[in-house]
Each structure stands twice: as C-alpha cells, then as structure tokens.
Amino acid sequence: MIKRYKISDESEVFCMPIEQKGNKRESEINAENALLQHIFGKDIELKHTDEGKPYIENKNTDENGVFLSISHSRTHLAVAVSKKEIGVDIENISDRLQRVKDKYLSKKEQNGMTMTLENLCKCWCAKEAIFKTAGKKAGYLGEEIDIFTDEIGENCSFDAQIIPTKEKYKLTIVEQNEQYIIVVAWAY
C-alpha cells in the first residue's frame, strides 16, 4: 500500500513497504522503481550526482527540475518530490538510537529534550534529511547541525541550522507510528 503525504503546494512524500525478495539492496531498488513508476506514471531513469543525490534526467519531460530525496528503513521506502531542494529520512524506531546517541547528538541537544526513543529517532531523521539537502557542509553524522530540540515533542515541525554557515532548516514530521518516523527538511 502506497501512502501519499502533501507537505505543501510544491512538495509531497510517498511511502511504501519494501517487499523483501532476494538481497536487501535489490529489494530496495525494486521498491524505488515501483514507487517512482507510481509517482510519475511511467518508467523514470534515476541518476545520482557525485554527492549521491538522486535526480531524474529524462529529455523532453516535465520531470526535469524536480527535486527528489529517497530513504530506506529496514521495512519501508520514502520518496520526497518537490519543486525545491528537499531531504527525507525514514527510520525504524530502535534501541540502537539510544546506544549511539552520543555520536549524532551534542550534549546541548540531548539536554534540550526528553530522551525517548521517538525523540531520538526524530533527531536522527532530522540530521539525515538535512544532510541529504546540504551535503558535506552538514558534517559527518551531522555534527555541524544544531537541532533546536526544545521544539521536539508533540510538535509536527521544528527547526535546525548548520552551525558554520548559519543556514536554517525547517523540519516536518510526516508520519510517526509505532514502527517508524518520516521527517522532511528544507532550507529557508
């Protein structure tokens, strides 16, 4: 079942389960192809920039200039489609996020929020989604990203910035359920 989330007039996110057949990467590629076919109504040639960002290069189609972001969890695929640069991340809620929190969250970020698995997952997704839009300036594991964790909790949106450049990002929780969380990010 494919879920569709309208984020704004120019941005949408699509999500579907990954059918596990054969090896993991092959299953992810099959799911990507099926979801892109569903979104655009035809086969799409997906390419990647040197930084790994996905894009569509189809001559004489309306898809040129459409920004894509793709994310996989163990069980699901999320694709964000927008008229502006966007990042998406989907992550299964897991104890692993508690064990590695010191690698992706500063002490300030940790002290600014209630340390639930759900909030840790939101932060992980936020940093991954920003990294997908900002690239290397976000730092390895997002150490150059400051999430305003005092805004996290029941809020559906929160903010962050890349520390060296002061570039600000809006983050929106697209879906949160017992299994996974989806977050999108864009600069403003």
Side-chain angles (χ1 to χ4, degrees), residues 12-184:
E12 295 179 300
V13 174
F14 298 84
C15 179
M16 67 180 273
I18 297 173
E19 189 176 332
Q20 299 298 330
K21 288 184 177 176
N23 72 47
K24 182 179 185 298
R25 185 64 190 137
E26 187 176 300
S27 296
E28 290 172 350
I29 290 169
N30 290 338
E32 283 176 19
N33 291 335
L35 190 50
L36 290 170
Q37 167 76 32
H38 172 82
I39 294 167
F40 295 106
K42 57 188 164 202
D43 288 332
I44 296 296
E45 186 178 352
L46 188 64
K47 296 194 173 195
H48 293 83
T49 66
D50 291 340
E51 283 194 339
K53 292 181 182 185
Y55 69 96
I56 298 168
E57 184 176 85
N58 286 344
K59 308 289 187 261
N60 304 317
T61 69
D62 294 334
E63 283 77 41
N64 289 320
V66 170
F67 292 96
L68 292 177
S69 183
I70 300 173
S71 181
H72 311 90
S73 71
R74 287 187 316 272
T75 59
H76 286 77
L77 165 70
V79 174
V81 180
S82 183
K83 294 179 183 173
K84 61 184 176 183
E85 189 86 33
I86 192 167
V88 67
D89 192 58
I90 183 170
E91 184 69 31
N92 289 91
I93 300 169
S94 159
D95 292 342
R96 177 186 61 84
L97 297 169
Q98 176 70 34
R99 291 191 304 271
V100 299
K101 71 180 182 298
D102 294 332
K103 293 184 180 188
Y104 68 95
L105 288 176
S106 69
K107 291 296 179 198
K108 176 185 165 203
E109 289 168 325
Q110 291 181 41
N111 292 334
M113 69 175 178
T114 306
M115 299 290 283
T116 65
L117 284 179
E118 291 80 9
N119 285 346
L120 291 171
C121 191
K122 290 174 192 176
C123 289
W124 177 275
C125 288
K127 290 198 175 192
E128 285 282 322
I130 291 171
F131 186 80
K132 288 176 180 181
T133 61
K136 295 176 184 171
K137 64 184 170 186
Y140 178 74
L141 289 178
E143 72 269 4
E144 299 293 347
I145 300 170
D146 183 19
I147 298 174
F148 304 142
T149 52
D150 57 328
E151 299 174 5
I152 292 179
E154 297 304 314
N155 294 334
C156 290
S157 292
F158 53 102
D159 296 302
Q161 80 174 15
I162 295 179
I163 299 164
T165 64
K166 306 263 190 268
E167 188 175 359
K168 295 189 185 292
Y169 285 81
K170 177 60 72 181
L171 298 132
T172 298
I173 299 164
V174 176
E175 167 139 6
Q176 176 178 345
N177 60 41
E178 292 177 0
Q179 191 175 14
Y180 60 83
I181 292 175
I182 304 172
V183 174
V184 293

